[in-house]
């Protein structure tokens, strides 16, 4: 059976992959996350997920029989791709742009075994309640927005802003569990492998 590597520094992705019971090893895969001119949001997250998976694969000492998983999450509002905020002003601008309305969260996953690289993109819609500048400022000082696309975490304190979700909760957190399990299965890594029948 192929062995799985996760090309990610994200603790959320590690937790979500652990949740489905597949053994894996983390590899680092830092890539340039700058969007290309006129690149669509879907093309952007898919390119980054693929880039992370391929960079992770290239970094392996023993690539034979290895599969590498990469993922990327972005928040989209008014056609703009929101990544992680660079500072407080950036985070506040993002949170105010998301306040009182719906936005899209795109997460792409990519899996490669060195021969082929398959990607899939999952779209979810999240509706925020109204947020005051004071709330956004207090939220920034909680430390949570810093390393999150769109400047919030649905799995944390940011949940107080979430009035509705249409789509995949795990995809918003950073790794669509259902689609990931299906992709792993295609590459000969079933997520049921460690379950014992009682
Ligand atoms: C919208 C949202 C994003 N996020 C996180 C998921 C991702 O970790 C991060 C988006 O940045 P990414 O660039 O997708 O990932 P990353 O840099 O954290 O990790 P990697 O090494 O795999 O590239 O935002 C949440 O944790 N909760 C949320 O509700």
């Amino acid at each position: 059976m192929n062995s799985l590597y996760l090309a990610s520094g994200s603790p959320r992705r590690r937790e979500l992959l652990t949740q489905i019971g597949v053994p894996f090893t983390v590899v680092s895969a830092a890539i340039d996350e700058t969007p290309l001119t006129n690149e669509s949001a879907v093309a952007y997250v898919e390119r980054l997920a693929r880039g992370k998976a391929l960079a992770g694969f290239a970094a392996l000492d023993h690539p034979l029989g290895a599969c590498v998983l990469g993922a990327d999450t972005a928040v989209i509002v008014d056609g703009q791709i929101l990544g992680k905020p660079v500072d407080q002003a950036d985070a506040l601008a993002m949170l105010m742009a998301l306040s009182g309305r719906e936005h899209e969260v795109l997460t792409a996953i990519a899996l490669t075994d060195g021969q082929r690289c398959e990607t899939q993109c999952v779209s979810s819609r999240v509706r925020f309640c109204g947020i005051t500048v004071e709330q956004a400022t207090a939220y920034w000082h909680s430390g949570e927005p810093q390393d999150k696309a769109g400047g919030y975490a649905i799995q944390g304190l940011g949940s107080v802003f979430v009035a509705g979700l249409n789509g995949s909760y795990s995809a918003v957190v950073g790794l669509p569990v259902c689609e990931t399990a299906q992709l792993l299965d295609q590459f000969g890594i079933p997520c049921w492998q460690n379950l014992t029948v009682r």
Side-chain angles (χ1 to χ4, degrees), residues 10 53 57 81 85 89 93 108 113 130 140 165-166 184 193:
S10 163
F57 194 88
I81 300 171
D113 59 5
W140 168 258
L165 164 68
N166 192 345
L184 290 174
Q193 60 186 276

Side-chain angles (χ1 to χ4, degrees), residues 7-10 12-13 33 52 71-73 75 84 147-149 152-155 172-174:
S8 176
S10 163
R12 278 81 53 183
R13 298 204 169 110
E33 301 204 2
K52 290 174 189 180
D72 193 76
T73 301
V75 166
K84 296 176 217 164
D147 58 346
K148 314 289 185 319
Y152 75 93
I154 196 170
Q155 73 276 23
V172 177
V173 179

